[in-house]
Amino acid sequence: MSLLEVRDLRTYFYTDVGIVKAVDGVSYQVEEGETLAVVGESGSGKSVSALSIMRLIPDPPGRIVGGQILFRDQDLLAIKEQDMSRIRGKSIGMIFQEPMTSLNPVLTIGRQMTESLEWHLKMSKADAKNRAVELLRMVEISDPERRLGQYPHHFSGGMRQRVMIAMALSCNPAVLIADEPSTALDVTVQAQILELMKNLTEQFGVALIIITHNLGVVARYANRVNVMYAGKVIESASADDIYANPRHPYTLGLMASVPRLDLPLKTRLDSIEGQPPDLSNLPQGCSFRSRCRFAIDQCATDEPPLSRLTEGHSAACWVADHLAADKQPTAQ
């Protein structure tokens, strides 16, 4: 039994220009202690799928219109908001994008950390404060007793992100969702934050869903990878398999756009031409067809399903078999 299972999730936004299908039929599973990476360009539906799990989609204009989100066999979409509020933050934690704006600027760090401890774990104010000090020390923030009385503007971006990690782990959740946890941080701090997050999730046995567009993060930290495009999962496999044998043209394009140390210095990076499709007016057939070098006639008329290729590896592409590592694809 999976710890978390998403089945055919559909989250739409109803706007003046039409229905934006931000998440359109996404399914995947997360096992206990596993790290799952969700990869894709901006606008592919990564963050919306995570917010859907937390039931934090703003309504209006957004609405979860279909699917199931099973957490320990309980459908999170079928329970009352009051019950969901007990799960949110306690059993499922989330590190939101942009550490600069995720914390409340008018509340002290201490108040923001102790609130969830008092609410979810029924701690006294004194116990919650002691736990907050312990958490700040755990995420390597010096002088935690003094820091509790400070406000977010007293902290650097990296320190704010450490506070967010401490808050997300404060109630010992079973699942932690990290939405672009290293955004807006310099490279050195990024590495420190990611190492810290990985070590802490391993220490506490927490399942981690990490949302990113950084394939270096995926290679180092993920067990499995879901590649998203236009609101759908278009390839899913283990991290090793994704790198060794990508089977979707979009994944191939993402790989080709990353600098590699094993190639000659003057090797030019490849790029994926064009732009992602308008989610309010998706084309017939494969959504990636207009940007794909390997498209065939069937791609213009039929949408490829996410099909199993090998054990643990699936892709939504009509020419996936021709993109195997031992075959040389031919552009049409």
Side-chain angles (χ1 to χ4, degrees), residues 289 292-297 299 319 332:
R289 180 180 62 85
C292 182
R293 293 177 294 168
F294 311 113
I296 59 176
D297 291 342
C299 301
V319 297
Q332 297 291 312

Side-chain angles (χ1 to χ4, degrees), residues 110-123:
R111 182 60 194 134
Q112 294 185 63
M113 293 190 66
T114 57
E115 182 179 20
S116 61
L117 295 169
E118 293 172 16
W119 166 253
H120 288 299
L121 302 184
K122 309 303 180 186
M123 286 186 174

Side-chain angles (χ1 to χ4, degrees), residues 55 67-69 74-81 83:
R55 276 180 51 178
Q68 292 180 301
I69 301 172
Q74 182 180 33
D75 188 358
L76 300 184
L77 300 183
I79 62 178
K80 296 179 180 179
E81 175 58 30
D83 296 326

Side-chain angles (χ1 to χ4, degrees), residues 177-249:
I177 302 172
D179 187 1
E180 299 280 6
S182 57
T183 296
L185 303 177
D186 64 60
V187 175
T188 303
V189 177
Q190 282 184 24
Q192 294 172 354
I193 292 296
L194 291 166
E195 285 293 335
L196 173 66
M197 191 166 58
K198 181 64 174 177
N199 291 339
L200 290 175
T201 52
E202 288 179 348
Q203 178 182 341
F204 293 104
V206 178
L208 175 63
I209 301 174
I210 185 167
I211 298 168
T212 184
H213 58 265
N214 187 333
L215 291 172
V217 171
V218 173
R220 183 169 179 83
Y221 300 103
N223 303 122
R224 287 192 304 117
V225 182
N226 285 343
V227 182
M228 288 192 67
Y229 186 80
K232 298 178 182 293
V233 174
I234 51 91
E235 186 162 11
S236 179
S238 68
D240 290 341
D241 208 12
I242 280 282
Y243 275 88
N245 191 20
R247 302 289 289 277
H248 193 286

Side-chain angles (χ1 to χ4, degrees), residues 17 32 46 50 92 115 123 133 138 191 204 209 244 250 287 301:
V17 297
E32 291 190 16
K46 308 185 303 297
I92 305 177
E115 182 179 20
M123 286 186 174
V133 169
M138 184 178 67
F204 293 104
I209 301 174
Y250 180 61
S287 298
T301 56

Side-chain angles (χ1 to χ4, degrees), residues 116-331:
S116 61
L117 295 169
E118 293 172 16
W119 166 253
H120 288 299
L121 302 184
K122 309 303 180 186
M123 286 186 174
S124 66
K125 289 186 177 181
D127 288 342
K129 182 178 179 180
N130 291 335
R131 173 62 173 161
V133 169
E134 178 186 336
L135 288 164
L136 289 184
R137 189 173 289 117
M138 184 178 67
V139 296
E140 301 174 3
I141 290 181
S142 61
D143 198 3
E145 292 86 355
R146 181 176 63 87
R147 289 293 192 179
L148 285 181
Q150 294 184 328
Y151 291 84
H153 68 267
H154 292 123
F155 289 70
S156 67
M159 291 176 69
R160 292 187 203 187
Q161 195 65 297
R162 290 172 187 268
V163 171
M164 291 295 298
I165 293 171
M167 291 173 63
L169 291 172
S170 62
C171 296
N172 300 317
V175 179
L176 178 63
I177 302 172
D179 187 1
E180 299 280 6
S182 57
T183 296
L185 303 177
D186 64 60
V187 175
T188 303
V189 177
Q190 282 184 24
Q192 294 172 354
I193 292 296
L194 291 166
E195 285 293 335
L196 173 66
M197 191 166 58
K198 181 64 174 177
N199 291 339
L200 290 175
T201 52
E202 288 179 348
Q203 178 182 341
F204 293 104
V206 178
L208 175 63
I209 301 174
I210 185 167
I211 298 168
T212 184
H213 58 265
N214 187 333
L215 291 172
V217 171
V218 173
R220 183 169 179 83
Y221 300 103
N223 303 122
R224 287 192 304 117
V225 182
N226 285 343
V227 182
M228 288 192 67
Y229 186 80
K232 298 178 182 293
V233 174
I234 51 91
E235 186 162 11
S236 179
S238 68
D240 290 341
D241 208 12
I242 280 282
Y243 275 88
N245 191 20
R247 302 289 289 277
H248 193 286
Y250 180 61
T251 311
L252 283 169
L254 292 178
M255 298 294 182
S257 65
V258 177
R260 292 178 52 171
L261 296 177
D262 59 343
L263 294 178
L265 186 61
K266 294 184 179 181
T267 301
R268 292 179 61 87
L269 295 179
D270 202 356
S271 63
I272 303 175
E273 296 182 358
Q275 297 293 328
D278 180 356
L279 296 181
S280 65
N281 186 26
L282 290 170
Q284 183 179 359
C286 177
S287 298
F288 188 64
R289 180 180 62 85
S290 64
R291 308 174 70 187
C292 182
R293 293 177 294 168
F294 311 113
I296 59 176
D297 291 342
Q298 187 177 11
C299 301
T301 56
D302 302 327
E303 181 182 356
L306 185 65
S307 303
R308 174 178 166 177
L309 303 173
T310 60
E311 181 65 33
H313 196 153
S314 301
C317 180
W318 294 120
V319 297
D321 287 340
H322 300 289
L323 298 181
D326 59 343
K327 297 182 180 179
Q328 179 65 44
T330 303

